[in-house]
Structures are given as structure tokens and as C-alpha cells.
Amino acid sequence: MTGRLDIIGIGPGDEALITPDVRAVLAQATDAVGYIPYVERVAGPGLRLHPSDNRVELDRARQALQMALQGQRVAVVSSGDPGVFAMASAVFEALEGWPEAQQVEIAVHPGITAMLAASAALGAPLGHDFCCINLSDNLKPWALIEMRLRLAAEADFAMAFYNPRSASRPEGFTRALEVLMASQCGERLISFARNVSRPDQTLLTLPLKDARPEMADMRTLVILGNSATRRVGDWVYSPRFA
Amino acid sequence: MTGRLDIIGIGPGDEALITPDVRAVLAQATDAVGYIPYVERVAGPGLRLHPSDNRVELDRARQALQMALQGQRVAVVSSGDPGVFAMASAVFEALEGWPEAQQVEIAVHPGITAMLAASAALGAPLGHDFCCINLSDNLKPWALIEMRLRLAAEADFAMAFYNPRSASRPEGFTRALEVLMASQCGERLISFARNVSRPDQTLLTLPLKDARPEMADMRTLVILGNSATRRVGDWVYSPRFA
């Protein structure tokens, strides 16, 4: 039996946002590897689950490749899209310097990443040029994040922020808001989309100058508009020409 | 009968990338409005098709809202995701200054945007902080595009480029490559993903300094890596720490 490895994204939460492409992978897989809550979402008959804790992405990727080498059909499960701050990069990192594993048949299957679901729920705040920044400094220096925030503000990009604030690093998002205030973004609209696409989804939009760090946690996707982002009724959108 | 308007994204081409959420909208819709090739993709029994030409997004949005006001269940169809350089912004723009239309029930339904499908096909070139720029200057000044390219290069973002090059503006992408070369991006990897997720998909990756404008057309999604983006085997990925 020839193993294979499929790197899949199961979207932000709503089952109706999981693509048929990903469903087909899960129907054929023998093993599912991923962070505990994501693996729980794909549980089903005939699928062995291998849940692991957060922050062990590289170990998890190696485990998945090892199982594929042994002939299993392994699904590596991320929420959202696997290529946006998720498992795809970790798998390719594990592949470097492991020539044997490079024989494994691999495919990456896209998914609805959180910023697209948040943008849809809010209206169209990412309707024009934007950037997407992971605010976690677990794997990169904070100075790099801060530099990117300043330049993105200067470029007048709308911005989507992943992993804005966790219990272990509550101060980072506070600092990010300060950097954006100092970059003349105070009047821009900022939106907090929590538990997006789930029954307990909440949305909050206000000018950045009125935002408080406590409005975000790890279940929140934050979108800062560009200088032209505006409201119409309850919706928030960025015009096509700005 | 109460009309409604659903703004949907039907993904980059592969039918297996259309979400069940969007399929459910299409099953209930009475009318589909959109650019000719996208409306053709959703044709089915009981669905009236209203195809229109490119570059008439605002007229199309008004037509859709008018039909919803008359009691029809209208699907506004974009390829990819409706919130990324697509119809959602045009609908909200049409809604401004038209209070009557603001009574229409509206929902936006996310889809797999081209950069996610291209990234998956290539590996994970958007695996870390990135930006997303529409290279068409139909609706914004070229100087704004150029400023964003320079600042994005300075921020060491990976970059996804939509609408890189059309028959009517062949010179823009040439200029974009020049700006990026002048911004010390010559050694970065650039990928051209054409007809992504379709049977005739093609992928090409090379250093920016060897890229030629003719490698892109309007069916191409272009991804420029950041300074750490690398190859492993046939894959291209951006490490999680850069």
C-alpha cells in the first residue's frame, strides 16, 4: 500500500464552508493529524485521530510524514486554509533535509481562511489591496512585526491580523494598536470578528482610536480598514478605487 | 414574496472547491447576475441568468439590488471570493445613497480566492505575512500601486498579484517587475499560476530577475515570495519564522 499525505483546511467553523474537495480527502484518509480541536471536527468512522497540542507543528509534520512513509493515507488538518499561518509550511519545513520523505505523494487543499469569512460577515473590508499579518511573536522577532505594521500603514493597506492576542502574550496587541495609532491610523475603522461563522459569532466595528486591546483574543480575527474603508448601514467595506 | 441578495464566490474553477454554503444559495436563487463566464458556471434549471460584460460592476450591482427589491432571490456571482477584488465592494458602493435598497436582506458568502488555490498548488508561498495587490489601474492611479509595491518589498512581505496583465494594459506588469527589481527583490522567487485548479493549470517558478512580463496574463495569479521563500523538491514555501 502506498501512503500519501494531504494537507487540508477545514475552514473557520461552519461545516457548510468545508469544500467537497476536502470532504473527499477525509473520506479516503486512514489517519488525521492536527491540533486537538481541529482533529475533533473531522472525527468519523474508519479515521484514526492523532491529536496534538498547539505549538508542536514541526513534530506533528514529521509524525504525519512518517505515517505516510509507512503506507498510511494521512490528512494533516488545519482550520481555515492550510497555507495561511497553518500546517503547510511546517510540512515543507519537515521535508527539507529528509530526502526519504520527499518521495511521499503530497497535495495541499485550500480552505476558507478566517479573514475571508470575517470579511464576508462584515461586508467587504478587504475589498481592495490588503495585507495579512500574524501578530504572534512565537516564531519571529517583535521588531519585524512592528516594522511591517508601520510600512503597511504607510502603504494604506487594509490589514487582517491573525493570532492578535493570547493569554501568554497579552501585551503584543496593545503595542500593535499603539504602533498603528502612531502611524496616523486613529480614524480608520477596525473590526473584531470573534468565532467567525459559528453560532456564537460576534462582530464589533469602531474607529481604531476607540479600540481597546481586550476586544481581541485568540478566537478573534481583526481587520483594520484602509483610509477609505467606510460603513453603509451595518456593513463595512473598502471601495474598489482606494 | 420578499427578495434577497446573496453575494457568492464560486472559487477559481474546480467544482470541488465550491462550498456547500454557496451551493445552497444557488439551489434557492431565482436569478444569477455576474460576468458572463462566471454566470455560465452556475447555470441550472430554474435559475434565470443575467450575464454582463466585464468592467460594469456598479451597473450590475444596481441591477441585482433592483431585482431583489422586486421580490427576486438574486445571487451575485464572482469567481474566487466575492470580497477580494470582486463584486461585494461594488454592491455596497451601489447601496450608498440608495436608502430603499438598504432594506434588502443581503448576505456575503466566502469562496476560495485564486491566491489560496495558487498557493496550495505551489506549496505554501503565502505561509507567512503577505499582501495582496490588484495590479489593474482601471480604478486607481498607477502611482498608488507603485508605492504599495515599494513598501511591500521593504516590509519583506510575500505578495499575491491579481489581474497582473491584460491586452489593454500590457505595460503595467513590466513596470511592476522593474519596481520590484529596483527594490532589491531580484533574488526572490516569483511564481506564475495560470488557470489555477483547472485541468489546464500551469505553474512556473523562477527568480524574479529571470522573469519576463509575458509570463503573466489575466488568467494568471502571480505570487512573489519573501526573502526567505525557498524550494524543497518541486514545492515552494515561505518558512513560518520569516
Side-chain angles (χ1 to χ4, degrees):
Chain A
M1 180 176 162
T2 307
R4 60 173 287 132
L5 190 147
D6 289 283
I7 307 169
I8 64 174
I10 56 172
D14 183 348
E15 298 289 303
L17 295 180
I18 301 180
T19 65
D21 173 56
V22 160
R23 287 285 181 207
V25 168
L26 287 168
Q28 295 290 322
T30 58
D31 296 83
V33 172
Y35 179 40
I36 303 162
Y38 309 151
V39 165
E40 281 171 354
R41 281 186 54 204
V42 301
L47 188 63
R48 282 183 297 271
L49 306 184
H50 305 269
S52 47
D53 208 350
N54 213 347
R55 298 200 191 184
V56 294
E57 289 79 9
L58 201 55
D59 292 342
R60 185 189 297 147
R62 291 187 181 121
Q63 175 197 22
L65 285 164
Q66 190 64 55
M67 288 194 294
L69 279 169
Q70 290 163 354
Q72 285 143 261
R73 298 178 68 92
V74 184
V76 174
V77 183
S78 293
S79 75
D81 178 86
V84 177
F85 311 131
M87 283 300 297
S89 283
V91 170
F92 295 116
E93 195 179 324
L95 218 52
E96 274 197 42
W98 188 4
E100 188 192 2
Q102 294 178 24
Q103 309 307 314
V104 172
E105 189 178 350
I106 296 177
V108 187
H109 302 264
I112 302 291
T113 185
M115 70 178 167
L116 298 186
S119 178
L122 290 159
L126 303 179
H128 207 67
D129 300 338
F130 65 93
C131 66
C132 181
I133 301 178
N134 186 343
L135 291 184
S136 166
D137 60 354
N138 286 339
L139 292 168
K140 65 183 165 184
W142 177 258
L144 182 61
I145 298 174
E146 199 165 310
M147 187 262 286
R148 286 181 176 153
L149 291 172
R150 287 186 205 285
L151 291 167
E154 188 180 342
D156 201 11
F157 280 123
M159 306 181 207
F161 300 130
Y162 282 69
N163 303 317
R165 191 164 178 271
S166 73
S168 62
R169 11 167 225 95
E171 71 295 334
F173 189 57
T174 306
R175 184 73 192 121
L177 293 178
E178 289 167 358
V179 169
L180 293 166
M181 279 299 294
S183 301
Q184 279 78 49
C185 296
E187 301 299 325
R188 292 203 204 180
L189 293 177
I190 188 168
S191 299
F192 297 85
R194 188 167 191 276
N195 289 330
V196 68
S197 89
R198 295 172 187 265
D200 53 350
Q201 168 181 297
T202 59
L203 303 174
L204 171 66
T205 298
L206 69 175
L208 175 70
K209 64 175 193 277
D210 299 329
R212 296 189 313 275
E214 303 75 42
M215 291 172 177
D217 63 15
M218 286 305 274
R219 303 180 71 97
T220 310
L221 192 288
V222 180
I223 296 180
L224 180 69
N226 65 24
S227 61
T229 302
R230 60 189 76 185
R231 296 178 194 258
V232 52
D234 291 334
W235 300 102
V236 180
Y237 84 101
S238 298
R240 299 170 299 145
F241 44 77
Chain B
M1 180 175 164
T2 307
R4 58 173 290 133
L5 190 147
D6 290 282
I7 308 169
I8 63 174
I10 56 172
D14 182 349
E15 298 289 302
L17 296 180
I18 301 180
T19 65
D21 173 57
V22 161
R23 287 284 181 208
V25 168
L26 287 168
Q28 296 289 322
T30 58
D31 296 82
V33 172
Y35 179 41
I36 303 161
Y38 309 152
V39 165
E40 281 171 355
R41 281 186 55 204
V42 301
L47 188 63
R48 282 183 296 270
L49 305 184
H50 305 269
S52 47
D53 208 350
N54 212 348
R55 299 200 189 185
V56 294
E57 290 79 8
L58 201 55
D59 292 341
R60 185 190 296 148
R62 290 187 182 121
Q63 174 196 24
L65 285 163
Q66 190 63 56
M67 289 194 295
L69 279 169
Q70 289 163 354
Q72 285 143 262
R73 299 177 67 92
V74 184
V76 175
V77 183
S78 293
S79 74
D81 178 87
V84 176
F85 312 130
M87 282 300 297
S89 283
V91 170
F92 295 116
E93 194 179 325
L95 218 52
E96 273 198 43
W98 189 3
E100 188 192 2
Q102 293 177 25
Q103 309 307 313
V104 172
E105 189 178 350
I106 296 177
V108 187
H109 302 264
I112 303 291
T113 184
M115 70 177 166
L116 298 187
S119 178
L122 291 159
L126 303 180
H128 207 67
D129 300 338
F130 64 94
C131 66
C132 181
I133 301 178
N134 186 343
L135 291 185
S136 166
D137 60 354
N138 286 340
L139 292 167
K140 64 182 166 186
W142 176 257
L144 182 61
I145 297 174
E146 200 165 309
M147 186 263 286
R148 285 181 176 153
L149 291 172
R150 288 185 205 284
L151 291 166
E154 187 179 342
D156 200 12
F157 280 123
M159 306 180 206
F161 300 130
Y162 284 69
N163 303 318
R165 190 164 178 271
S166 74
S168 61
R169 9 167 228 94
E171 71 297 333
F173 189 57
T174 305
R175 184 73 191 120
L177 293 178
E178 288 168 358
V179 169
L180 293 166
M181 279 299 293
S183 301
Q184 279 78 50
C185 295
E187 301 300 325
R188 293 203 204 181
L189 292 177
I190 189 168
S191 299
F192 297 85
R194 188 166 191 277
N195 288 331
V196 68
S197 89
R198 295 173 187 265
D200 53 350
Q201 168 182 296
T202 59
L203 303 174
L204 171 66
T205 298
L206 69 174
L208 175 70
K209 64 176 190 279
D210 299 328
R212 295 191 311 276
E214 302 75 42
M215 290 172 178
D217 64 13
M218 285 306 274
R219 303 179 71 95
T220 309
L221 192 289
V222 180
I223 297 181
L224 179 69
N226 65 24
S227 61
T229 301
R230 60 190 75 185
R231 295 178 194 257
V232 52
D234 291 334
W235 300 102
V236 180
Y237 85 101
S238 298
R240 299 170 299 145
F241 43 79

